[in-house]
Amino acid sequence: MSEHAATSANTTPGADATPAEHPVTGADPAPTRHAAPGADTTLDEQATTTGHPAPGAGTTVGADTALGEQATPAGHPAPGATPATGRLYGVGLGPGDPELMTLRAARIIAEADVIAYHCARHGRSIARSIAAPHLRPEHIEERLMYPITVETTDHPGGYRGALDDFYEEAAARLAAHLDAGRTVAVLAEGDPFFYGSYQHMHKRLAHRYPTEVVPGVTSISAAAARLGTPLCEAEEVLTVIPGTLPEDELTARLAATDSAVVMKLGRTFPAVRRAMETSGRLDEARYVERATMSGERTGRLADIDPESVPYFSVAVVPSRTATPPPAPEGGEVVVVGTGPAGPLWLTPETRRALADADELVGYTTYLDRVPHRPGQIRHGSDNKVESERAEFALDLARRGRRVAVVSGGDPGVFAMATAVLEVASQDAYRDVPVRVLPGVTAANAAAARAGAPLGHDYAVLSLSDRLKPWEVIAERLRAAAAADLVLALYNPGSRSRTWQVGKARELLLEHRAPDTPVVLGRDVGGPEESVRIVRLGELDPDQVDMRTILLVGSSQTRAVRRGDGHEIVWTPRRYPE
C-alpha cells in the first residue's frame, strides 16, 4: 500500500488522516455494504454483501452490473469462478449543493466500497463535503492529495512532471483497490469530464477496468441559474474559455462569440477583466462565485475587486437577447470586411462588430454572407450605389443606430471604406463616429491558395475603367511591370468589360517573359473556388470574369511542381544584385 493510508469515513474534512481499517493490500474482507436509508437495498436487488452475488446470479466482466457484484470479500473469487476486478465510477456531484446531485450519483456513492477524492495539502475537500450525506462508516476513503498548488517545484520535470507523477501514484492506489475487487467511486465537483481532476484517473484506468462516468450539473449551468439569465438562444454560440489563456487570446475568443463563460478565475481575474474590456464585453459580463454553495456571490464583473476573487468563480457573458449591449451615444458606423467568402474568413473583431450592429448596410451579395440575428435590420442594395449607401448608413448612425457597413475582402481595398469616409468628411457627418475594421483581401486569399507569389514587393491595381480612365491604368501597368513588381489585378473583367485583360496582357509582355507564372483565383473560399496557374503568354481573357483576381509574377517568381503533382508559385524574398 502507498504511504497515504485511506481515511475513515468519520474523518472531519481538513483533519489529519488516520490509518484506514481496510488498507489496500492484506485487508480483512470488506465490510457488508448497507443500503442508504430509504434507498433500494442495493444498485442491483440481487446483491447482498460486498461482492457476494445472490445465489445463482450470473454476471459478465465489463457489463453494466451492480456495484462490485462480481467481487467477493477482498477481491477473492468464489471457488471455480473467474477472478474479477472492481468497477470504477467517475461521479459528478454537481456545483455544490448536495440536493443538485443526481439520484444515480447518490446511489453509487452510498454503495461503493472506496470513496476517492482530490484535495490540496490542507486536506479539505469540497467534493467530500458535497457527498458527505451519503458516506457510511464502512467506506474506505482515499484522499488524493496534490503535492503542489502553485507552478513552482523542484521536481526535475517541473510543475507538469510533478503532477504527472502524482496522477500515476494516485491511479496505482485506486488500481490496487480495483484489483482486489472493490468498487471505487471517484468524486468530482460539477461534471467529471468538464475540467475535472477525475479525467486523469480515467485516462489511466478506464481501459483496464469496467468504468462508468456519471454526469453532473456543471458550474456553468449553476451560474446561469443563479444569475437568472439565459446563456444562449436560437443560433447563438456559447464559448467556454479557460481564464489561463493568454490575454490576447482571451480577447479574441470573447470578441468572436455570442455568449461566453470564462472558467478558472482567481489569479487570472485581472487579465480576464482586461480582455472583457478590450473586446467590448465588460458591460455585459456578470460574475458568479461559489454558485449554489455557502458564500455564493453574484454581480457585475466590472464591480468585482480582483483581490477578492477565488478559484471557484466564473465570468459569464450571457445571451445577447437577455443583455443587449448599450448603444454608443449618438450611434456609430463600423465598416467591416467579410474576407473573400464566408464565415471562415471573418476576424474576431469583425464578428463582434457584426453582432453588435442594430442595422447592416451593404451590397446584397456581401450581406448574404452575414448570419441573420433576431432584431437586426438589413439594407441591401446594388453594387453601383456606394455613395448613396454610405450616406444612408451615416444618417442611421446620426439617429443613434449602430450600423455595420458590410464590404467584401478588406473594406479599404477597392471597397466601401473610402466611400464612407468621403461622405463622413462632409460637415453634416463630421461628428458621426466611423471605424474601419480590416479583412482578408482577395489578393492574400488567392496567394495563399497558390503558394507565396506575393513573397516580395508587389503592386495592387484595378483594371476597372469605370472610375478612372484606361490611359491611367495602362500607364500604371507599364510602370509596375518595368519596376519588376508582382502584380495583383482586381476587377479584371465583367460582362460589359471584355477587352481589358487582353490589353493588359499585351502591355505586360513588353516587360515580362511569356512563361511568367500567372495565378487565376476565382471565388476563393466560396463554393465555386478555382485556382489555376497559367503562363502570361497563354492567358485567355475568356477565362477571367469579375469574380477572378489575377496575380502576375515578376521575373523572379517561380512555379514548381511538387512530388504530389501539385504546382505551387512563390517569389523569393532575395532579389539578385
Side-chain angles (χ1 to χ4, degrees):
M1 178 182 177
S2 70
E3 59 182 343
H4 299 276
T7 58
S8 165
N10 293 322
T11 303
T12 301
D16 293 334
T18 56
E21 296 179 353
H22 303 285
V24 175
T25 57
D28 292 329
T32 298
R33 194 164 54 210
H34 299 287
D40 293 339
T41 54
T42 61
L43 288 186
D44 188 310
E45 293 183 359
Q46 294 183 341
T48 53
T49 60
T50 300
H52 289 289
T59 60
T60 303
V61 176
D64 190 8
T65 56
L67 293 177
E69 63 181 290
Q70 295 180 13
T72 55
H76 297 290
T82 302
T85 67
R87 190 175 183 87
L88 174 67
Y89 287 88
V91 183
L93 302 176
D97 184 345
E99 292 189 357
L100 293 178
M101 290 173 55
T102 65
L103 294 174
R104 182 156 184 77
R107 213 159 51 138
I108 287 174
I109 291 169
E111 300 208 6
D113 301 312
V114 179
I115 303 297
Y117 48 87
H118 293 79
C119 65
R121 298 297 295 177
H122 51 59
R124 296 183 296 275
S125 168
I126 294 177
R128 187 193 187 282
S129 67
I130 298 171
H134 306 282
L135 299 182
R136 298 178 288 101
E138 295 84 2
H139 272 134
I140 301 171
E141 295 192 29
E142 282 286 359
R143 187 166 58 178
L144 309 177
M145 185 179 292
Y146 285 104
I148 48 179
T149 56
V150 295
E151 297 186 14
T152 55
T153 176
D154 295 330
H155 191 282
Y159 177 77
R160 179 51 55 190
L163 282 182
D164 285 342
D165 282 355
F166 161 69
Y167 292 135
E168 290 294 335
E169 186 270 343
R173 290 165 57 189
L174 300 186
H177 286 295
L178 293 165
D179 288 338
R182 302 188 184 100
T183 297
V184 177
V186 181
L187 307 183
E189 298 127 78
D191 183 273
F193 278 167
F194 186 74
Y195 293 114
S197 296
Y198 163 77
Q199 295 175 72
H200 299 286
M201 300 298 98
H202 188 87
K203 288 185 288 187
R204 289 165 171 81
L205 298 172
H207 63 289
R208 298 164 51 190
Y209 303 98
T211 301
E212 179 186 331
V213 174
V214 181
V217 177
T218 69
S219 57
I220 289 179
S221 298
R226 303 307 292 169
L227 288 171
T229 184
L231 277 177
C232 47
E233 180 179 327
E235 283 74 41
E236 288 182 323
V237 175
L238 169 66
T239 301
V240 180
I241 311 170
T244 50
L245 289 178
E247 186 174 330
D248 56 352
E249 181 69 16
L250 284 167
T251 302
R253 301 270 183 171
L254 287 167
T257 192
D258 299 308
S259 55
V261 175
V262 184
M263 313 285 295
K264 305 180 180 182
L265 296 185
R267 61 186 175 83
T268 72
F269 183 81
V272 171
R273 190 190 188 283
R274 289 193 298 269
M276 289 282 189
E277 186 168 20
T278 304
S279 63
R281 313 306 298 271
L282 185 59
D283 288 339
E284 305 167 66
R286 299 295 179 264
Y287 173 84
V288 182
E289 176 183 318
R290 297 186 173 91
T292 78
M293 301 166 64
S294 174
E296 177 185 293
R297 178 171 58 145
T298 64
R300 295 179 66 251
L301 189 78
D303 298 334
I304 300 300
D305 177 9
E307 298 298 322
S308 69
V309 176
Y311 182 82
F312 282 95
S313 56
V314 297
V316 180
V317 179
S319 168
R320 302 181 68 80
T321 59
T323 56
E329 186 175 350
E332 68 168 350
V333 171
V334 183
V335 191
V336 301
T338 61
L344 286 177
W345 303 87
L346 292 178
T347 67
E349 191 176 28
T350 294
R351 288 181 183 274
R352 179 81 274 119
L354 290 171
D356 287 343
D358 301 313
E359 309 201 31
L360 304 181
V361 176
Y363 175 35
T364 302
T365 298
Y366 299 145
L367 284 181
D368 288 343
R369 297 176 180 174
V370 180
H372 284 263
R373 291 178 178 276
Q376 275 187 340
I377 302 173
R378 294 175 173 238
H379 306 277
S381 58
D382 185 76
N383 198 28
K384 301 181 181 65
V385 291
E386 291 184 350
S387 294
E388 294 87 341
R389 192 184 303 146
E391 185 172 355
F392 178 73
L394 288 162
D395 277 330
L396 288 172
R398 195 166 53 175
R399 298 200 298 267
R401 306 295 287 171
R402 295 168 298 190
V403 183
V405 176
V406 180
S407 186
D410 181 284
V413 180
F414 304 121
M416 279 300 299
T418 299
V420 171
L421 292 173
E422 185 176 6
V423 177
S425 297
Q426 300 174 12
D427 290 341
Y429 302 109
R430 286 184 184 274
D431 294 330
V432 176
V434 177
R435 292 186 291 140
V436 179
L437 303 182
V440 178
T441 69
N444 294 147
R449 290 287 200 257
L454 305 182
H456 206 296
D457 300 337
Y458 66 96
V460 179
L461 287 84
S462 170
L463 294 188
S464 173
D465 58 352
R466 292 190 182 280
L467 301 177
K468 61 180 182 290
W470 175 256
E471 290 74 20
V472 173
I473 298 172
E475 182 181 352
R476 291 177 177 178
L477 278 172
R478 289 191 184 98
D484 201 22
L485 296 172
V486 175
L487 293 169
L489 303 179
Y490 280 70
N491 307 318
S494 66
R495 278 178 284 184
S496 62
R497 293 189 298 107
T498 59
W499 56 269
Q500 282 86 350
V501 173
K503 189 59 178 177
R505 180 189 61 194
E506 293 177 15
L507 294 173
L508 293 174
L509 283 171
E510 295 175 9
H511 301 275
R512 300 285 163 88
D515 64 350
T516 299
V518 179
V519 177
L520 281 71
R522 186 180 187 280
D523 192 32
V524 176
E528 300 179 12
E529 176 179 308
S530 171
V531 178
R532 298 186 300 113
I533 300 168
V534 301
R535 300 305 180 261
L536 180 58
E538 303 168 353
L539 177 59
D540 182 359
D542 291 337
Q543 296 178 345
V544 179
D545 62 11
M546 192 64 179
R547 300 175 68 186
T548 304
I549 186 169
L550 302 179
L551 306 179
V552 183
S554 70
S555 65
Q556 304 302 306
T557 302
R558 302 287 181 261
V560 179
R561 194 164 298 280
R562 303 279 294 161
D564 59 1
H566 179 68
E567 190 174 25
I568 61 169
V569 178
W570 56 283
T571 302
R573 296 181 62 190
R574 294 183 182 274
Y575 202 82
E577 298 181 6

